[in-house]
C-alpha cells in the first residue's frame, strides 16, 4: 500500500507533465506533481521577491567539472553544465560513439527543475506541419527518395493516430494558456484561432534574414516564441512598461528571473498552485513504479533527503522527458517480470528513439548590431515544409527554418561556442585557438562581436528500431540504478534531408544582402551524439498494440491507469521544434483524463 | 556585530542543497554550493539591497537536538541557532539559517552541534586562524581579498593574464585611461559600485583567485605548480630580476613557448603539459573578464563597458541596478 493517494500522480513538471496537471486541477481533481529538480522561482512567484535564475553567463554554462564516471571512454574530460543540469558524475547518460566506445554525454538532458526543459528553452514554439502527422501515408508509394535503397523510409514511417486537424484545437489551447508571441500570416499551419501576442521589433541583424528569405521567395513570419509581450490573463503575468526591456539575450539556456519566458511553472503550474487540489513536491525523484496486474498501484520516490516514500494515483502520468521516462519504465520492468511483460511484451519500449535532423548556416554581416537586445529568433519560414518542396527534392519530409538571434550575443557564450556547437565540446574551439591573444583577440572581437548571424533548420528524423534507449549494463547513478544507454545513428536519408536543408539555410544568408559573408553551413549527420535537446520517441503511440507502446490516448496498452505524455510518445519527430506539440498533446490527454479520474 | 537574519523558507533550502547531498553512493556533488551565497533583497530598494548578500548555512544531522553557527560575520562567541528544515511537516535532518552579510567579505565559521564545535563537513573551504584552529570559510560576491594566492603569485599571474586579454593593447589602455580613470571618484562609485582597484586585466586575477578557491578547487594545484615553475624559468633566464617586473617581451616569449608546449627549462616531471596550463588560463581569463562582476572579475563592469564603447552592447539594459539600469530585475 502506498503512503498517500491522489486522483493523479504526475511525474515530471515540464512540457509533457504540466499541461495534464493544469487541466486536472482546473477540473477539481487532486493532483500530485513529483519533480526531481528544485522549484526555482521567478521573482513574482517567490516569497522573498528574488528569483533563483540570474542574468549571469555562469548560470548557463558554469565552472569546469571533471567526468569521473568509471567504465566509459571519456573519463577525465571536462564538462560544463548549467545550474539546472545534473552533475554527470551522479547521473550520466551513456551513448555508443561511432568508434564503438561508450561515453558519457550531457546532450540528452533538458533541465531538471520545476518546468523541465521549458525553463531553459529558446521558446521557439512552432506547430508541426499537416504532413508531419501522416508520413506513412504520404510516402507509401514513393520510390524516388534519396539515399534509401532498401525502402526503409516507407517501411518505418508511421502516421500519428490522428491528424493535424484533430490536434489543432489543442494547439490553440496551448498557445493561449502558455503565452506565445508571433505572427500567423505566411505559416503553412492553419489555425482556427489566433492567440498570439504581438511580437516585439526584430533585432536589426535579422533584416539580412528577411531579405534572404524574400529573395528566395520564401514566405516568412515572425517566429512564434514562448515569451509574453503583453499582459497574459490566463497566467496572471504582466509585462513591464518598457516592453523592449523584455529582450535581453538571456533566453536560450537561461531561466528567466522575471518569468516572461512562458515556462510551464509560470504559465501553467503557478496559476493553479493556490487551488486546493494541487500539490507539487520538488526535489523528489521517482525511482520506479509497481503494479498489480494492469493497475499501477504505487509510485516509489526518494524525498529531498533521499528517503523512500510511495504514493498512488487513480492515474499515473509519466513525463520525465523521453530518455528518463523510458528508463523509469525499464527500471520498473527490471524489478517485476509481470510489469515487464505488460510494458514491453512487444519489445518496443525504448526503440524508435528520435531526435531531429538539424543544422544550418552562419554568416558574418557587414554592419554591427547589438545582439544583446533580442529574444531567441525573429524570422521563420515553412517554405521547406511544403509538400511541393519535399517532393521536388526527393525527401520524405520537410522542416522548419528560422534564424537564431541570441547565439553569440553575449561575450562569454561567443567564446565558448566558438567552433563548438554542442554541450560536450564547449570551449574547445576558442581555447585551442592559441593565436587568439593580444591583437589576435582584439581582431576576433572586432570581426565577430555583434556581427554573427545564423539560420537553423529542424526536420524529421527517420524512425529506426536500432535507435534505442536501454539500461546500461555497467554504469550506475547515485541511487545505484543503471543509467540510460543511448544507441543512436543517422539513416542515409537523414543526411540527404540535412544536406538539402542546410543548403537552403546557406542560400538564405547568401541572399541576405551586400557584404554578408557566409562562413559555414552544415549539419549533425556525422555526429551520432548530437541531440539538440530534443529527446523524443522510445514509447511511441499508435493504433496497433503490436506496433506501439502507447494507445492513441497515450496510455500504455496493457495498463489501465498508466500514461506517458512527454516527448517519448512521438512516432515521428516532426518538422519543427517539439515542445508546443508535446504541450498540445498533453492538454489533449489532460482533458481526456478529467473524465477518467 | 549584530547578526541580521533573513527569512528564506524551507523550500529554498531544499532547492539549493538536496540535489548535491541526497544519494546512496558517491560523494556530495558540487560542494562549492554551500553555504549558499545569494542576492539580498530588502523589499524596497535596489540601492540599499546591493551592498549585501544572503548567506544560507545548512547542516545535516538527524540526531542533533540543537545546531548553531558562530563566525566572524557575527559574534564569535554566541552561536546563532539554525532551524529544523521540514518536508511534508516532518523534520528532514537538515538545519538551516540565512543571514545578511556585506558583499566583498571573507569569513570563517564553525557549527555547534549540541554544544560541540564542528567544521562544516560539506564545504571544502578551510582556513586556519592565528591560534592554529581550523575553520570553515566562505566569501561573498565581488570579494577582492586574496584567498588562494600569495602576493608574488598574484603579480606573476597578472603579467600572464595580460598576454591573453585585449586590455593591454594601446588602444584599450587608452579606453581605460580616457573612460574609467577620467571619471571623478564619486562618479566611479555611482556607475561602478563594486570597483575598488582598476587594473589592466580588469580583475581577472581576482576572479581566478576566487574560482580556484571554490568552484574549481581541482585546478588550484595546476596554478601553484605552474606559477612556481614559471618563476623558476624566468629567474634562470633573467638572473637577479624579479619575474613580475620583466619586460613585455619576456612574457610574450613565454606565451609562445607554452603554446608550443615546449618551455626551455620547464620541469616536465613536475607538470607534463605546459600548454594545458595556458589553455586553463585562457578560459579563466576570458570568463573572468566578461562574467558578472559578482564573481570577482570584470570589476565595475569595466569589460562590458569596454565592449559597449568599442562595439554595440547595451549591457546595462538587462543588468540589475545599480550596476546596470534595470530596476525590474533584482539580480
Ligand atoms: C537549451 C535548450 C533550448 C531549447 N529550445 C527549444 C526551443 O526553442 N523550442 C522547443 O520546442 N524546444 C526546445 N528545447 C527542448 C524542450 O525543452 C523540450 O522539448 C521539452 O522540455 C521536453 O518536454 P518533456 O515533457 O519531454 O520533458 P521536460 O520538459 O524536460 O520535463 C521532464 C521533467 O521530468 C523531470 N524528471 C525526470 N526524471 C524524473 C524522475 N525520475 N522523477 C521525477 N521527475 C523527473 C525532469 O527533472 C524534468 O523537469 C530546448 C531545450 C533546451 C535544454
Amino acid at each position: 500500500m502506498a503512503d498517500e493517494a491522489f486522483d493523479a500522480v504526475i511525474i515530471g513538471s515540464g512540457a509533457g507533465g504540466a499541461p495534464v496537471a493544469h487541466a486536472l486541477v482546473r477540473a477539481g481533481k487532486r493532483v500530485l506533481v513529483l519533480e526531481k529538480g528544485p522549484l526555482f522561482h521567478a521573482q513574482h512567484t517567490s516569497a522573498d521577491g528574488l528569483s533563483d535564475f540570474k542574468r549571469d553567463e555562469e548560470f548557463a554554462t558554469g565552472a569546469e567539472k571533471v567526468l569521473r564516471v568509471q567504465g566509459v571512454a571519456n573519463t577525465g574530460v571536462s564538462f560544463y553544465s548549467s545550474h539546472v543540469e545534473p552533475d554527470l558524475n551522479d547521473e550520466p547518460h551513456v551513448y555508443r560513439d561511432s568508434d564503438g566506445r561508450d561515453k558519457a554525454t550531457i546532450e540528452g538532458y533538458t533541465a531538471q527543475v520545476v518546468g523541465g526543459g521549458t525553463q531553459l528553452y529558446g521558446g521557439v514554439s512552432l506547430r508541426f506541419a499537416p504532413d508531419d502527422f501522416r508520413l506513412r501515408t504520404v510516402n507509401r508509394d514513393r520510390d524516388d527518395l534519396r539515399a534509401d535503397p532498401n525502402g526503409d523510409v516507407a517501411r518505418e514511417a508511421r502516421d500519428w493516430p490522428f491528424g493535424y486537424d484533430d490536434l489543432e484545437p489543442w494547439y490553440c489551447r496551448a498557445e493561449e494558456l502558455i503565452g506565445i508571441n508571433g505572427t500567423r500570416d505566411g505559416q503553412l499551419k492553419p489555425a482556427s484561432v489566433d492567440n498570439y501576442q504581438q511580437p516585439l521589433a526584430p533585432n536589426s541583424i535579422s533584416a539580412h534574414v528577411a531579405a534572404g528569405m524574400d529573395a528566395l521567395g520564401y514566405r516568412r513570419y515572425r517566429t512564434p516564441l514562448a515569451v509574453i509581450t503583453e499582459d497574459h490573463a490566463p497566467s496572471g503575468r504582466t509585462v513591464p512598461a518598457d516592453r523592449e526591456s523584455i529582450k535581453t539575450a538571456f533566453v536560450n539556456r537561461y531561466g528567466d528571473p522575471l518569468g516572461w519566458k512562458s515556462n510551464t511553472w509560470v504559465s501553467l503550474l503557478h496559476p493553479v498552485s493556490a487551488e486546493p487540489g494541487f500539490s507539487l513536491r520538488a526535489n523528489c525523484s521517482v525511482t520506479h513504479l509497481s503494479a498489480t496486474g494492469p493497475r499501477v498501484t504505487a509510485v516509489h520516490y526518494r524525498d529531498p533527503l533521499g528517503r523512500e516514500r510511495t504514493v498512488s494515483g487513480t492515474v499515473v502520468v509519466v513525463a520525465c522527458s523521453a530518455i528518463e521516462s523510458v528508463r523509469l519504465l525499464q527500471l520498473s520492468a527490471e524489478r517485476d517480470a509481470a510489469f515487464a511483460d505488460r510494458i514491453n511484451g512487444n519489445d518496443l519500449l525504448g526503440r524508435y528513439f528520435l531526435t531531429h535532423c538539424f543544422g544550418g548556416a552562419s554568416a558574418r554581416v557587414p554592419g554591427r548590431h547589438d545582439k544583446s537586445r533580442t529574444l531567441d529568433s525573429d524570422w521563420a519560414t515553412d517554405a521547406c515544409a511544403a509538400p511541393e518542396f519535399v517532393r521536388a527534392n526527393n525527401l520524405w519530409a520537410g522542416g522548419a527554418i528560422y534564424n537564431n538571434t541570441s547565439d553569440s550575443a553575449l561575450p562569454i557564450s561567443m567564446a565558448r561556442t566558438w567552433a563548438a556547437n554542442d554541450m560536450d565540446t564547449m570551449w574547445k574551439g576558442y581555447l585551442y585557438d592559441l593565436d587568439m591573444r593580444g591583437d589576435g583577440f582584439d581582431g576576433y572581437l572586432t570581426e565577430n562581436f555583434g556581427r554573427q548571424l545564423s539560420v537553423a533548420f529542424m526536420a524529421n528524423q527517420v524512425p529506426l528500431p536500432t535507435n534505442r534507449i536501454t539500461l546500461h549494463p555497467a554504469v550506475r547513478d547515485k541511487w545505484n540504478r543503471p543509467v540510460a544507454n543511448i544507441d543512436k545513428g543517422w539513416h542515409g536519408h537523414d543526411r540527404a534531408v540535412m544536406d538539402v536543408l542546410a543548403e537552403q539555410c546557406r542560400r538564405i544568408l547568401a541572399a541576405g544582402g551586400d557584404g554578408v559573408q557566409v562562413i559555414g553551413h552544415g549539419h549533425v549527420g556525422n555526429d551520432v551524439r548530437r541531440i539538440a535537446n530534443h529527446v523524443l520517441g522510445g514509447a511511441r503511440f499508435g493504433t496497433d498494440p503490436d506496433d506501439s507502446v502507447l494507445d492513441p490516448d497515450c496510455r500504455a496498452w496493457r495498463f489501465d491507469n498508466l500514461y506517458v505524455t512527454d516527448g517519448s510518445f512521438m512516432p515521428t519527430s516532426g518538422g519543427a521544434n517539439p515542445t508546443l506539440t508535446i504541450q498540445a498533446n498533453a492538454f489533449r490527454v489532460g482533458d481526456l483524463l478529467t473524465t477518467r479520474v | 556585530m549584530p547578526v541580521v537574519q533573513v527569512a528564506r523558507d524551507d523550500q529554498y533550502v531544499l532547492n539549493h542543497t538536496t540535489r548535491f547531498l541526497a544519494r546512496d553512493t558517491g560523494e556530495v556533488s558540487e560542494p562549492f554550493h554551500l553555504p549558499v551565497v545569494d542576492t539580498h533583497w530588502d523589499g524596497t530598494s535596489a540601492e540599499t539591497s546591493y551592498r549585501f548578500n544572503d548567506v544560507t548555512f545548512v547542516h545535516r544531522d538527524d540526531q542533533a537536538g540543537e545546531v548553531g553557527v558562530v563566525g566572524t560575520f557575527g559574534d564569535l562567541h554566541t552561536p546563532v541557532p539554525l532551524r529544523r528544515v521540514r518536508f511534508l511537516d516532518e523534520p528532514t535532518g537538515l538545519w538551516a539559517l540565512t543571514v545578511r552579510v556585506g558583499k566583498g567579505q571573507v569569513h570563517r565559521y564553525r557549527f555547534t552541534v549540541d554544544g560541540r564545535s564542528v567544521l562544516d563537513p560539506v564545504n571544502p573551504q578551510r582556513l586556519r586562524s592565528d591560534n592554529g584552529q581550523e575553520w570553515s570559510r566562505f566569501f561573498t560576491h565581488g570579494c577582492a581579498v586574496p584567498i588562494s594566492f600569495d602576493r608574488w603569485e598574484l603579480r606573476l599571474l597578472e603579467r600572464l593574464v595580460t598576454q591573453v586579454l585585449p586590455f593591454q593593447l594601446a588602444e584599450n589602455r587608452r579606453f581605460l585611461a580616457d573612460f574609467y580613470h577620467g571619471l571623478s571618484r564619486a562618479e566611479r562609485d555611482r556607475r561602478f559600485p563594486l570597483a575598488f582597484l582598476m587594473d589592466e586585466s580588469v580583475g581577472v586575477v581576482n576572479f581566478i583567485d576566487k574560482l580556484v578557491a571554490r568552484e574549481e578547487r581541482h585546478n588550484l594545484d595546476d596554478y601553484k605548480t605552474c606559477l612556481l615553475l614559471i618563476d623558476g624559468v624566468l629567474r634562470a633566464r633573467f638572473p637577479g630580476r624579479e619575474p613580475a617586473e620583466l619586460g613585455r617581451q619576456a612574457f610574450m616569449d613565454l606565451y609562445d613557448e607554452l603554446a608550443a608546449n615546449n618551455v626551455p627549462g620547464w620541469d616536465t616531471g613536475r607538470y607534463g603539459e605546459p600548454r594545458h596550463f595556458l589553455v586553463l588560463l585562457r578560459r579563466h581569463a576570458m570568463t573572468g573578464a566578461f562574467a558578472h562582476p559578482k564573481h570577482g572579475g570584470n570589476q565595475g563592469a569595466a569589460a562590458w563597458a569596454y565592449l559597449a564603447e568599442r562595439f554595440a552592447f547595451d549591457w546595462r539594459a538587462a543588468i540589475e541596478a545599480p550596476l546596470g539600469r534595470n530596476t525590474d530585475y533584482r539580480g
Side-chain angles (χ1 to χ4, degrees), chain A residues 38-40 43 47-50 52 54-56 58-59 63-66 80 83 85-87 90 240 248 250 257-258 281-284 301-307 309 368-370 372-373 409-412 415 427 430-434 436-439 441-442 445-446 449 477-480, chain B residues 8-9 11-12 14-16 18-19 22-25 29-30 38-41 60 62 87-88 90-92 94 163-164 166 168-169 171-172 215-216 218-219 252 255-256 259 275 278-279 282-283 286-287 290-292 294-295 306-307 310-314 317-319 325-326 328-331:
Chain A
L39 170 54
F40 277 2
Q43 282 181 186
D48 41 44
L50 289 168
D52 300 291
K54 312 287 179 194
R55 293 175 179 170
D56 176 350
E58 292 292 89
F59 271 60
E64 179 200 55
K65 290 179 232 167
V66 179
Y80 308 90
H83 67 134
E85 281 160 329
D87 186 331
D90 280 348
T248 69
F250 289 98
L258 297 182
R281 292 181 195 164
N283 305 299
C284 290
Y301 71 98
R302 299 298 195 105
D303 77 8
L305 272 297
R307 297 185 184 106
R309 294 176 184 263
R368 201 180 298 280
H369 305 265
D370 186 354
S372 69
R373 306 304 300 272
L410 298 168
I412 303 177
W427 276 118
Y430 170 83
L431 294 183
Y432 289 91
D433 207 338
L434 294 167
M436 209 190 271
R437 61 144 158 165
D439 293 333
F441 182 89
D442 198 61
L445 283 180
T446 307
F449 195 70
D477 70 6
K478 68 173 181 178
W479 305 117
N480 204 21
Chain B
R8 292 271 196 172
D9 59 15
Q11 183 71 59
Y12 175 86
L14 297 174
N15 288 340
H16 288 272
T18 58
R19 174 158 83 95
R23 60 189 54 252
D24 283 354
T25 64
S29 76
E30 305 183 10
D38 204 340
T39 314
H40 176 73
W41 175 242
R60 185 175 191 178
D62 293 314
F87 175 72
L88 298 183
E90 293 166 22
T92 56
L94 278 192
Q163 282 302 307
V164 298
Q168 88 284 13
L169 295 174
E171 184 181 353
N172 308 332
E215 291 90 337
E216 295 193 17
H218 56 280
N219 286 321
M252 291 177 73
Y255 182 105
D256 290 336
R275 180 169 33 208
L278 181 64
V279 169
R282 283 175 57 80
R283 178 167 59 80
M286 180 67 206
T287 312
F290 293 105
H292 192 289
K294 73 185 184 190
H295 299 293
Y306 161 80
L307 291 178
R310 291 218 35 213
F311 310 117
F313 188 55
D314 184 9
I319 298 300
R325 63 164 190 274
N326 194 304
D328 293 316
Y329 170 50
R330 298 178 185 140

Side-chain angles (χ1 to χ4, degrees), chain A residues 11-17 34-37 85 109-126 252-254 264 284-287 319-322 324-325 328 376 402 481 532-536 565-568 576-580 582:
Chain A
I11 308 165
S13 60
L34 288 171
E35 166 57 51
K36 177 182 194 175
E85 281 160 329
Y109 275 111
T110 48
Q112 295 191 348
V113 58
V114 171
T118 66
Q119 288 284 9
L120 294 193
Y121 77 160
V124 172
S125 296
L126 302 165
N252 201 346
R253 282 193 69 74
Y254 295 90
T264 56
C284 290
S285 289
V286 174
T287 54
C320 301
S321 86
E324 286 299 312
S325 285
L328 178 64
D376 202 40
Y402 57 93
R481 304 177 311 156
N533 306 307
H534 297 175
V535 286
L536 308 164
T565 58
D566 58 36
S568 58
N577 313 47
T579 308
L580 182 71
I582 298 174

Side-chain angles (χ1 to χ4, degrees), chain A residues 514-562:
Chain A
D514 286 345
V516 176
Q517 183 194 346
V518 177
I519 48 186
H521 72 292
H523 55 68
V524 297
N526 295 316
D527 189 344
V528 298
R529 173 187 42 140
R530 297 301 312 283
I531 287 176
N533 306 307
H534 297 175
V535 286
L536 308 164
R540 72 181 181 192
F541 74 166
T543 50
D544 176 358
D546 293 328
D547 188 55
S548 49
V549 176
L550 308 174
D551 75 10
D553 298 341
C554 285
R555 174 165 55 183
W557 275 108
R558 296 178 60 204
F559 282 95
D560 290 345
N561 66 338
L562 174 60

Side-chain angles (χ1 to χ4, degrees), chain B residues 22 63 68 97 99 107 169 183 211 218 280 291 294 306 320 329:
Chain B
Q63 309 300 322
L97 167 74
V99 298
H107 289 289
L169 295 174
L183 299 176
L211 187 70
H218 56 280
L280 187 66
K294 73 185 184 190
Y306 161 80
E320 69 278 10
Y329 170 50

